[in-house]
Amino acid sequence: MTQSLSPRVEAVFWFLLTATGYFLLASLSLHATKGADNIAAVWPASGYLLALLLLMPASARVVAFAGMVAASLAANIHGGAPLWSSLAFTFSNGCEAALALWILRRREPGELSFMVPRSVISFCIAAFTASTVSAVLAWGLAGKGLDFLLSWLTTVLLGMLIVTPPIVMLARMVGTNALANASTRMKAEATAILTATGLVTIACFSQAQFPVTFLPCIAVVAAAYRLGPFGAATGMLIVTLIASLVTGQGYGPIAAIEGSQKVRVLFLQFYLLVLLFTTLPLAALLIGRQRLAKRLEQSNRWLLQAEAAALVGHWRVDLIGWTITWSDQSYRIHGLEPGMPVDVDYSVKQYVAEDRLAVRKILADAVRTGQPFEFQGRILRADGEIRHVKSHGSIEMGRGGKAVGIFGTVQDVTETVENARILEAARSAAERVANTDMLTGLPNRRHTLAFLEKALAGARDHGAPLAVAIFDIDHFKRINDTHGHAVGDQVIRRVAQRANAALRDEDMLGRIGGEEFVCILQRSSAQAAEIVAERVRKAVEVGTAAEDDLPNATISVGLAVYDGEADVEELLHRADKALYVAKREGRNRLRMAA
């Protein structure tokens, strides 16, 4: 409001606002309910000054204190206090405001908020400390008794605790347009509640026949419940002003108490303190509950969004009542409408028969051991579709270490499983392509040698028998030159088929280049290996003769039995030497390496 003003005009504004308000409130208090030594029951001027100091810019505080000094001296002198007492009271009130402001700035470096319990506690500490120091100063300077010290302490403390919060909150609501943006219904409700609070207080304190001073408490609690801290603080201020004014005029149940004026003032202060410390904590708890409710609502909304995005639901089994609760996403995963009644047996029976027993066993073991669990299975949805789901869960323990519930999550991993299957199939296909000879469909040279490496390691480490037979097609160059390469390729394929068919299940045949092949004969003694290799030779000789108009083809075979060779190359070299012996001796025959 004053940011657009010049510094001089701004200083004048804050001086006049402080001096005028302080003088009016101080004069009103001194002429209302009075205690011993002209100390009012409540000193709202202290709360008003502290509120302005919290709201104004730091540059305006000096002139504000100057306005407070002028207004305080004028009010006290006008109220009949001697000059020295007026000076002592003014100095004490100024010190209390400065000290309260300093404590708040140290404890709350940012903006003081009466919506935050921690800030409210800091404000109460600052108010009590400043009031205590102020009371001691006034008591020492004025030379009064202990009753004066106690009366000053409670009066100033009530003034700050009751007056400061509503002024600060109202000013900030105006400054942030929160008041202007409030709905008409909300404004009407707030007006009605605060008006009702005032009317109830007037009705209670304007008569002494019925001691119903508890009714304003109900009204302030209602204001706190519906309007939060602002409603509590404003309702408290309304009750304080009306109760002080009416009691000061000699009306109401407190004014009717037998005893001195000091006793009545102390009782009024006690009443206001009890009301204050009943409603303010309640308001703080209510606003805290509202914030927690909003945070919980937001967290639940985020949880639902996250579950929907990740296809994850949650569930809980009550082991005492044997009931189950599903989240909306759990229903969707199972193909059901959210909210449909389900039980524990139904949720387990949705798993296909092959997985159902495993699920029951996992859950039973988890309940028995109390350990977290994880399982993956297939469910048959209500629409007949089979989906893969994965669940994680943990056991909830009650008193005595007894399992009382199971909490878990369920995730639809059908796409993940399908993608993994496709990926594995693609990997296997790629591996087959990388390891397969494209002409014959047999393992290629790389795969054959890798297989032989493992077989040789097994023979070396475990003493398993091993033999290697190398063969190639006799006079294959002549076949190519005479019939062409296409026919030559057909001959290679037919030789591969016949040779592979003659091997045992544990043996392997691979093409290592051109018309050359390797047979890896596992768990074969020399005699058994020779029999198998000879069977291969005969199968090729018989199987390719005048078949499918292909030229005759025979093979020469060199056989080597593992005899402690250090590596594959050495074993293959021995078999290769035997192959050349077979070729030199006329081809279409088998020769064993020495």
Side-chain angles (χ1 to χ4, degrees), residues 22-108:
Y22 196 97
F23 178 79
L24 291 176
L25 290 173
S27 299
L28 182 64
S29 298
L30 291 173
H31 287 83
T33 304
K34 295 183 180 181
D37 302 303
N38 280 345
I39 298 300
V42 178
W43 192 250
S46 294
Y48 175 78
L49 176 61
L50 181 57
L52 292 186
L53 291 174
L54 291 172
L55 294 171
M56 69 177 58
S59 58
R61 288 172 185 159
V62 174
V63 296
F65 274 107
M68 170 264 168
V69 170
S72 178
L73 287 173
N76 279 284
I77 293 173
H78 182 266
L83 178 59
W84 172 250
S85 296
S86 299
L87 290 171
F89 297 161
T90 300
F91 176 75
S92 300
N93 288 136
C95 289
E96 100 204 354
L99 180 59
L101 181 64
W102 181 80
I103 293 174
L104 287 174
R105 286 291 171 255
R106 289 292 300 271
R107 294 181 61 90
E108 301 291 330

Side-chain angles (χ1 to χ4, degrees), residues 44 113 142 182 188 192 289 296 307 475 521 527 554 560:
S113 173
R289 188 190 70 172
L296 179 61
E307 286 189 349
H475 302 296
L521 309 174
Q527 183 179 2
T554 60

Side-chain angles (χ1 to χ4, degrees), residues 237-276:
L237 179 61
I238 292 172
V239 172
T240 300
L241 292 176
I242 295 174
S244 299
L245 289 173
V246 175
T247 301
Q249 298 301 316
Y251 300 104
I254 295 179
I257 295 176
E258 295 183 2
S260 64
Q261 180 71 0
K262 178 179 67 175
V263 172
R264 299 188 188 96
V265 170
L266 288 175
F267 186 84
L268 177 60
Q269 291 174 334
F270 172 75
Y271 171 80
L272 295 175
L273 280 173
V274 171
L275 181 58
L276 178 69

Side-chain angles (χ1 to χ4, degrees), residues 113-420:
S113 173
F114 292 98
M115 304 292 182
V116 180
R118 180 181 179 276
S119 297
V120 173
I121 293 173
S122 296
F123 173 71
C124 292
I125 291 173
F128 180 78
T129 304
S131 301
T132 303
V133 172
S134 172
V136 171
L137 287 174
W139 172 67
L141 293 173
K144 304 293 184 177
L146 291 178
D147 289 343
F148 174 87
L149 175 66
L150 178 62
S151 180
W152 181 287
L153 172 63
T154 55
T155 299
V156 172
L157 178 62
L158 280 171
M160 286 193 284
L161 291 178
I162 293 174
V163 176
T164 302
I167 294 177
V168 172
M169 285 189 280
L170 181 61
R172 286 178 180 164
M173 283 193 293
V174 173
T176 59
N177 291 324
L179 197 61
N181 295 332
S183 64
T184 303
R185 178 180 177 181
M186 184 179 297
K187 292 178 182 178
E189 182 181 5
T191 302
I193 291 175
L194 296 178
T195 301
T197 301
L199 294 175
V200 168
T201 306
I202 292 174
C204 292
F205 283 89
S206 61
Q207 53 82 38
Q209 185 176 0
F210 302 103
V212 287
T213 52
F214 61 89
L215 291 179
C217 299
I218 298 175
V220 176
V221 168
Y225 181 77
R226 294 300 300 167
L227 306 178
F230 175 74
T234 305
M236 189 68 218
L237 179 61
I238 292 172
V239 172
T240 300
L241 292 176
I242 295 174
S244 299
L245 289 173
V246 175
T247 301
Q249 298 301 316
Y251 300 104
I254 295 179
I257 295 176
E258 295 183 2
S260 64
Q261 180 71 0
K262 178 179 67 175
V263 172
R264 299 188 188 96
V265 170
L266 288 175
F267 186 84
L268 177 60
Q269 291 174 334
F270 172 75
Y271 171 80
L272 295 175
L273 280 173
V274 171
L275 181 58
L276 178 69
F277 287 108
T278 300
T279 55
L280 283 185
L282 175 63
L285 290 174
L286 288 173
I287 199 68
R289 188 190 70 172
Q290 291 173 1
R291 287 179 175 176
L292 286 175
K294 289 182 179 179
R295 197 174 303 160
L296 179 61
E297 180 183 358
Q298 186 181 55
S299 297
N300 286 336
R301 186 167 60 252
W302 288 346
L303 175 61
L304 293 176
Q305 291 174 348
E307 286 189 349
L311 299 180
V312 177
H314 66 269
W315 51 269
R316 184 184 182 276
V317 174
D318 182 353
L319 296 175
I320 306 301
W322 198 241
T323 59
I324 189 169
T325 304
W326 283 357
S327 69
D328 289 353
Q329 188 59 30
S330 293
Y331 278 101
R332 297 187 186 100
I333 290 173
H334 288 79
L336 299 174
E337 286 294 325
M340 288 184 61
V342 293
D343 56 30
V344 180
D345 291 335
Y346 173 81
S347 63
V348 175
K349 287 180 180 178
Q350 279 208 294
Y351 284 89
V352 299
E354 294 87 344
D355 300 336
R356 197 176 302 149
L357 291 177
V359 170
R360 291 185 185 275
K361 183 178 185 304
I362 290 172
L363 292 176
D365 290 344
V367 172
R368 178 175 52 82
T369 63
Q371 297 298 314
F373 60 88
E374 174 184 335
F375 61 84
Q376 183 169 320
R378 295 159 296 165
I379 60 171
L380 180 62
R381 289 166 35 119
D383 55 10
E385 183 180 0
I386 292 180
R387 306 291 290 181
H388 293 263
V389 297
K390 188 174 184 178
S391 285
H392 295 81
S394 59
I395 305 299
E396 297 178 12
M397 294 295 183
R399 294 180 179 178
K402 182 181 178 181
V404 297
I406 311 175
F407 179 83
T409 61
V410 57
Q411 181 179 12
D412 189 332
V413 294
T414 304
E415 291 187 6
T416 303
V417 171
E418 184 63 21
N419 290 338

